[in-house]
Each structure stands twice: as structure tokens, then as C-alpha cells.
Amino acid sequence: MHWYLDWRKLNPFSLVSQKSKEQIEKFLYWKELGNWETSPSEKQIVSLKNPLCGDEIHLSLNQTDEGIQIVSLNGEACSVCLAAAGLLYSKKLKWKEDSLILYENQIKNYLDGKNELMTFPLDEVEFWEIMKLHPGRHRCAFLPLLALKKSLQE
């Protein structure tokens, strides 16, 4: 008699701990903060790919004198990258290069244990707290931010 596991009937959540399930749900929530529907009329799109893992993110942007704002998101990436993109979109800011660099440095200093994210929304603080525990995923979390930074430097 052969024993086998029918993967079609397997609940993927049964393989992870309760804490991991909660984190998965949070990452899905953060991803959903973004607008993932692109319009053919969106002309300014910046893309960036992580050559190590293959994550690819596309940001549709609107540029004004006040700065660049993310209009929508697209891409094939891991849950960390998609959650980071959703959080970045949800800020609804018009970014200039200096404000983006300040934002990036605040996060990097937090991840290095040099400061706290006192002015950040609680959802975002919770995301970066999880990232602090997983330094191998920092590149994934920063990919949307680096794509936005790339658009400001072009």
C-alpha cells in the first residue's frame, strides 16, 4: 500500500504556526492597502527588479510640481515586497527626493537599532518590526521604495 499526500486537499495554513498565520494575514492586509489595478492611460511607470530573487515591482506615477505620487501598483513579487508596496502607496504622499531619502534613512536607522519610528502609523511600525527580525528580507521590503527613488533620480 502506498501512502501519499493529496496536495489539493491540503490547507496551506495547517503547515505554519499560529504566529506565522497572523503574520501572513497582516502581509495580505498591507498588500491590499495598495491600488493594484493599472489603467492603460497611465504613462509614467517605473519598474525595478531584484536580481537575487526575481521580485519585480511596477509603480504607476503622477508627477506634479509638488512631487511624485504613486497612482497604482503592479508586479510579481513575494509577500514582503507586495506588503511594502501597499504600505508605501497608502501614505498618499507627493514625494520629493529629500523627503524620500529622509523616510528611507529613518527606516534604515530603525532596522539598525539606532532610533524608533515615533512618527510612523502603527501599521507601518508593525511591518518594520517584523522586518527587523528578518534581515534577509530587507531587500524585498525596500524594493518599492528603491523604485520610487529611481523615478525621482531620472
Side-chain angles (χ1 to χ4, degrees):
M1 173 179 264
H2 291 96
W3 183 86
Y4 69 95
L5 184 61
D6 187 350
W7 291 100
R8 294 169 296 186
K9 295 179 181 176
L10 185 64
N11 177 355
F13 287 113
S14 66
L15 300 175
V16 296
S17 68
Q18 182 62 34
K19 184 176 180 178
S20 293
K21 288 179 194 177
E22 291 169 5
Q23 285 184 352
I24 290 168
E25 289 172 7
K26 287 176 185 174
F27 278 91
L28 291 172
Y29 166 75
W30 291 320
K31 174 192 172 206
E32 292 304 316
L33 294 175
N35 174 16
W36 294 92
E37 296 179 17
T38 56
S39 163
S41 65
E42 294 171 1
K43 293 184 173 99
Q44 186 176 0
I45 297 176
V46 64
S47 299
L48 199 59
K49 185 171 185 170
N50 181 343
L52 295 177
C53 66
D55 282 357
E56 190 168 356
I57 194 77
H58 312 283
L59 308 178
S60 298
L61 306 168
N62 181 31
Q63 186 166 5
T64 66
D65 291 339
E66 299 170 22
I68 290 182
Q69 185 173 23
I70 303 171
V71 178
S72 66
L73 308 159
N74 200 338
E76 293 290 327
C78 69
S79 60
V80 171
C81 183
L82 298 177
L87 282 166
L88 191 61
Y89 171 87
S90 73
K91 295 180 92 49
K92 305 275 188 201
L93 295 176
K94 293 183 179 170
W95 296 94
K96 292 201 177 254
E97 190 171 4
D98 58 341
S99 61
L100 190 62
I101 289 170
L102 176 65
Y103 176 73
E104 179 184 23
N105 287 337
Q106 286 176 314
I107 294 169
K108 284 181 176 180
N109 286 334
Y110 172 74
L111 294 173
D112 289 340
K114 297 177 184 172
N115 71 338
E116 294 297 317
L117 300 174
M118 303 299 275
T119 60
F120 282 46
L122 290 178
D123 269 354
E124 197 170 354
V125 171
E126 190 173 10
F127 173 80
W128 292 111
E129 282 176 353
I130 293 170
M131 289 300 94
K132 198 173 192 176
L133 300 173
H134 302 282
R137 303 306 298 272
H138 290 183
R139 188 179 288 252
C140 302
F142 276 99
L143 191 65
L145 185 70
L146 294 174
L148 186 57
K149 193 174 175 181
K150 174 184 169 187
S151 74
L152 289 166
Q153 294 170 342
E154 290 179 345

